[in-house]
Amino acid sequence: MVTINDNYRKLKAGYLFPEIGRRVNAFAEAHPEANIIRLGIGDVTEPLPEACRAAMIQAVEEMGSRDTFKGYGPEQGYLWLREKIAAHDFQARGCDIDASEIFISDGSKCDCGNILDIFGSNNTIAVTDPVYPVYVDTNVMAGHTGPVKDNGEYEGLIYLPISAENAFTAPIPTQKVDLIYLCFPNNPTGAVASRDHLKAWVDYALAHGSIILFDAAYEAFITDPNIPHSIYEIEGARNCAIEFRSFSKNAGFTGTRCALTVVPKSLKGKAADGSEVELHPLWNRRQSTKFNGVSYIVQKGAEAVYSEEGKAQTRALIDFYMENARIIREQLTAAGIQVYGGVNAPYVWVKTPNGLSSWDFFDKLLQVCNVVGTPGSGFGAAGEGYFRISAFNSRANVEAAMQRITEKFTA
Ligand code: MLT
């Protein structure tokens, strides 16, 4: 009989969002009359921007003619898309990032997990607590941790607790860590990192030869002009950071799939023989071997995000969701419930009322209000007593959900 990857057996129960889906489906089956509003998983609800749809339709037509048909594309993504991204997302913000350092992919979640392929198995790894579970689970799967402890933490990982006391920004570790996952705007707390905070991380990483894995999937939701959108806005970050970005949340591509990862050519790691090796060729090799690129049609849709119409339509989508976030924040606050985030991010991080545990509040909200959110403890032990509400839904659903919650719960 074949043997299995035993690391999978260390994983706690199911992945958070399918587990929530399972509970919600069980409730829906038992109560078919319930009008359930889902503010759990951060999945977009509004249609793709018109500019993206038009570009994709045009691309479909091109695929219908022998002269313009496309087979395999470059594994790294088409250069015309990478050049637009480099110019608009990075160079326009003063970041020294070249198109050749950008890799198009089918998702930041995939890339955050896949990136571990190019790193050794003996690195010290730090994550925040609470944290987007993908960073932890992919390290467990790769055998980078020991077993799970009673408090839900995995042996061998360094957890950096984030809470209201440190404005939900990770404290700089006192010990040396090799790989650090940072996510700003933060999923799940909706917090942002100031320039000074990111600079402290970059300085730390440069001093210790660490690599920061910077997840910027929500950068488009930043409203404060003083908050950096990219880690490369910080001097020196080219030498210590990989950045992940996505078209999922800003342009509604969760179902269409398009994202990007920046691996600067200046990044280096150490080989077993002690020599310094560039990371860019390793990721290029990994992608060329295991990935065949994102479809031409989808990349054409993503390129349209950078047209004048695309920019305006994407901005309108973001503003729409951020207005939802404002409604969530203000209504819960008026009901005396403590909330964080939701100003520069589409997530509102809620202190559960009446001292309820995260899962107790989840169950009550589902049963009493027929509203779904995400229990904070699902993001880590320090998320206990918190609850995440996503701003991704229709205005009518957000307003109805807030009315139901504030009628039943006051702190
Ligand atoms: C979330 O709800 O945290 C997101 O949908 C996760 C993701 O984008 O994979």
Side-chain angles (χ1 to χ4, degrees):
M1 197 177 275
V2 297
T3 59
I4 60 149
N5 178 350
D6 268 296
N7 295 312
Y8 278 65
R9 304 184 77 198
K10 295 181 200 159
L11 292 165
K12 286 177 284 180
Y15 181 57
L16 177 62
F17 295 106
E19 172 60 20
I20 290 171
R22 196 187 57 72
R23 290 189 187 214
V24 174
N25 290 342
F27 178 81
E29 252 172 50
H31 303 88
E33 73 296 345
N35 171 16
I36 299 173
I37 300 177
R38 290 173 166 81
L39 302 176
I41 190 164
D43 193 5
V44 294
T45 54
E46 305 310 298
L48 286 174
E50 161 66 24
C52 300
R53 295 202 309 272
M56 286 192 251
I57 290 167
Q58 162 78 31
V60 169
E61 291 303 330
E62 287 176 45
M63 295 298 259
S65 159
R66 171 167 268 282
D67 299 342
T68 46
F69 172 79
K70 306 274 183 302
Y72 291 125
E75 293 91 351
Q76 302 78 4
Y78 285 99
L79 193 56
W80 35 260
L81 176 57
R82 300 161 81 199
E83 280 174 345
K84 291 256 164 46
I85 293 168
H88 291 260
D89 288 342
F90 295 103
Q91 290 156 9
R93 292 193 167 274
C95 306
D96 177 18
I97 293 297
D98 185 72
S100 61
E101 298 175 307
I102 295 169
F103 294 81
I104 308 300
S105 79
D106 59 349
S108 289
K109 172 169 145 181
C110 323
D111 282 358
C112 283
N114 292 337
I115 199 76
L116 293 176
D117 276 10
I118 67 166
F119 292 109
S121 53
N122 47 1
N123 289 310
T124 313
I125 295 156
V127 293
T128 62
D129 180 9
V131 67
Y132 178 41
V134 170
Y135 313 149
V136 172
D137 288 4
T138 52
N139 274 290
V140 176
M141 291 170 176
H144 296 169
T145 73
V148 69
K149 299 189 275 190
D150 288 345
N151 65 359
E153 295 182 352
Y154 286 91
E155 271 173 26
L157 286 185
I158 310 270
Y159 289 86
L160 308 171
I162 56 175
S163 64
E165 283 69 51
N166 56 23
F168 299 100
T169 52
I172 308 294
T174 43
Q175 70 273 60
K176 176 182 182 299
V177 295
D178 301 305
L179 283 178
I180 304 140
Y181 290 84
L182 293 180
C183 174
F184 289 113
N186 186 249
N187 179 11
T189 66
V192 281
S194 68
R195 193 169 293 277
D196 285 350
H197 185 69
L198 289 184
K199 181 172 175 345
W201 271 112
V202 167
D203 289 348
Y204 170 89
L206 292 173
H208 292 86
S210 325
I211 297 284
I212 298 171
L213 300 172
F214 191 75
D215 185 349
Y218 299 95
E219 59 76 32
F221 295 85
I222 293 173
T223 52
D224 181 340
N226 296 316
I227 300 294
H229 286 234
S230 167
I231 189 122
Y232 304 118
E233 289 178 54
I234 311 299
E235 205 185 329
R238 272 191 63 80
N239 297 320
C240 65
I242 290 175
E243 182 165 306
F244 305 95
R245 285 201 180 196
S246 172
F247 292 92
S248 282
K249 313 290 161 108
N250 61 341
F253 275 51
T254 54
T256 311
R257 312 305 308 153
C258 198
L260 61 116
T261 290
V262 184
V263 185
K265 291 182 176 162
S266 37
L267 287 182
K268 292 199 177 119
K270 200 164 67 181
D273 64 5
S275 59
E276 287 192 354
V277 175
E278 289 178 7
L279 298 184
H280 183 277
L282 299 187
W283 183 243
N284 190 43
R285 185 71 170 83
R286 190 265 170 215
Q287 290 299 81
S288 310
T289 303
K290 294 195 180 181
F291 186 59
N292 261 337
V294 174
S295 83
Y296 173 73
I297 298 162
V298 168
Q299 291 193 61
K300 274 289 169 190
E303 186 194 25
V305 166
Y306 300 97
S307 66
E308 282 315 307
E309 314 81 72
K311 276 188 192 166
Q313 292 159 9
T314 309
R315 186 70 255 158
L317 261 185
I318 293 164
D319 290 347
F320 175 83
Y321 291 125
M322 289 312 289
E323 175 64 8
N324 283 349
R326 186 191 65 75
I327 292 168
I328 296 168
R329 269 191 300 114
E330 290 189 0
Q331 301 227 0
L332 294 182
T333 305
I337 297 172
Q338 176 77 58
V339 300
Y340 303 92
V343 177
N344 293 291
Y347 295 126
V348 180
W349 189 238
V350 179
K351 184 96 196 81
T352 57
N354 312 320
L356 287 169
S357 77
S358 299
W359 277 108
D360 283 350
F361 187 57
F362 172 90
D363 288 334
K364 279 218 157 49
L365 214 56
L366 180 59
Q367 283 154 20
V368 179
C369 304
N370 301 159
V371 172
V372 182
T374 310
S377 56
F379 297 100
E384 181 55 271
Y386 287 91
F387 197 76
R388 193 192 76 176
I389 296 186
S390 153
F392 293 114
N393 214 310
S394 66
R395 182 63 39 77
N397 274 349
V398 165
E399 283 173 347
M402 288 309 111
Q403 190 177 348
R404 291 185 203 171
I405 296 175
T406 52
E407 267 170 14
K408 301 284 180 196
F409 290 93
T410 42

